[in-house]
Amino acid sequence: DLAQRLNLTQPDISKIERLERRLDILEFLDWLNVIAEGDIQLFNQLWNEINECYGKSQSCRKDIRRNNS
């Protein structure tokens, strides 16, 4: 269970997924690590994709939010 692995409550996870609660950078890195299941290559790939998109337009960031909701 994602909430358990991140040491958060299920309502916290739901709020994050609905963009009602923001993650600080350490929580974000924990989240990526859990999603990547400790695979450093996958973690780096996710991080690089996020960095690449963040440098682009607002529409790219909106696409990420839309794809993750």
Side-chain angles (χ1 to χ4, degrees):
D1 178 57
L2 182 61
Q4 201 170 25
R5 291 168 56 191
L6 291 168
N7 199 28
L8 295 170
T9 65
Q10 187 56 50
D12 283 333
I13 297 294
S14 295
K15 288 177 185 176
I16 292 165
E17 292 174 339
R18 291 189 314 263
L19 304 175
E20 294 174 2
R21 179 187 181 282
R22 291 183 177 220
L23 298 172
D24 67 29
I25 189 65
L26 296 177
E27 289 175 315
F28 178 71
L29 292 173
D30 286 342
W31 190 286
L32 279 182
N33 191 45
V34 167
I35 291 170
E37 297 180 340
D39 181 338
I40 193 68
Q41 287 179 330
L42 180 56
F43 178 92
N44 286 335
Q45 178 185 352
L46 291 169
W47 181 254
N48 290 335
E49 287 178 19
I50 290 165
N51 278 330
E52 181 181 321
C53 185
Y54 189 77
K56 293 183 180 178
S57 68
Q58 285 280 356
S59 64
C60 182
R61 290 189 286 249
K62 289 178 185 174
D63 287 343
I64 288 176
R65 289 181 185 142
R66 210 172 295 122
N67 290 337
N68 289 324
S69 42

